[in-house]
């Protein structure tokens, strides 16, 4: 049962993160914090492929106890591992 619930949670997170980032460049929480995700090369909303990579990287980072998120504290550009992996940047709006 626990494995099934974890799988459902991961699938729901993946779908939510992928769709919201691909369509608007932000999630609901990012909207409240007035930040946006953009493609580091073009400055536009990330593509579908980048959104998928970012969602997978984020879920993997959380599965490792948040280590991928903590990478932002030692990175000179303050980017997380999933931002580096997907070639995206989070900016203030």
């Amino acid at each position: 049962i626990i494995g099934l619930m974890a799988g459902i949670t991961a699938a729901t997170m993946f779908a939510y993160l992928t769709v919201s980032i691909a369509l608007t460049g932000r999630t609901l929480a990012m909207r409240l914090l007035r930040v946006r995700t953009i493609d580091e090369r073009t400055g536009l909303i990330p593509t579908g492929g980048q959104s998928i990579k970012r969602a997978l990287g984020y879920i993997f980072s959380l599965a490792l106890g948040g280590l991928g998120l903590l990478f932002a504290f030692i990175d000179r550009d303050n980017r997380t591992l999933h931002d580096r992996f997907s070639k995206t940047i989070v900016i203030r709006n």
Side-chain angles (χ1 to χ4, degrees):
I1 298 290
I2 293 173
L4 178 64
M5 293 302 289
I8 290 171
T9 301
T12 304
M13 283 178 60
F14 174 76
Y16 170 69
L17 291 169
T18 301
V19 170
S20 61
I21 295 294
L23 294 179
T24 64
R26 55 175 65 173
T27 61
L28 183 59
M30 293 172 83
R31 187 176 304 265
L32 293 173
L33 295 173
R34 295 190 174 144
V35 294
R36 172 181 302 260
T37 303
I38 61 170
D39 183 334
E40 73 178 3
R41 287 169 276 147
T42 65
L44 300 173
I45 294 173
T47 63
Q50 284 176 308
S51 298
I52 290 170
K53 286 180 185 177
R54 192 170 197 282
L56 288 173
Y58 183 75
I59 293 168
F60 186 69
S61 293
L62 288 179
L64 293 177
L67 291 177
L69 301 172
L70 294 175
F71 183 75
F73 292 113
I74 61 170
D75 185 57
R76 64 182 164 88
D77 297 328
N78 298 327
R79 291 172 58 195
T80 60
L81 283 179
H82 55 274
D83 283 327
R84 291 255 177 222
F85 178 63
S86 64
K87 295 181 177 50
T88 57
I89 301 171
V90 176
I91 60 167
R92 294 228 178 260
N93 209 10

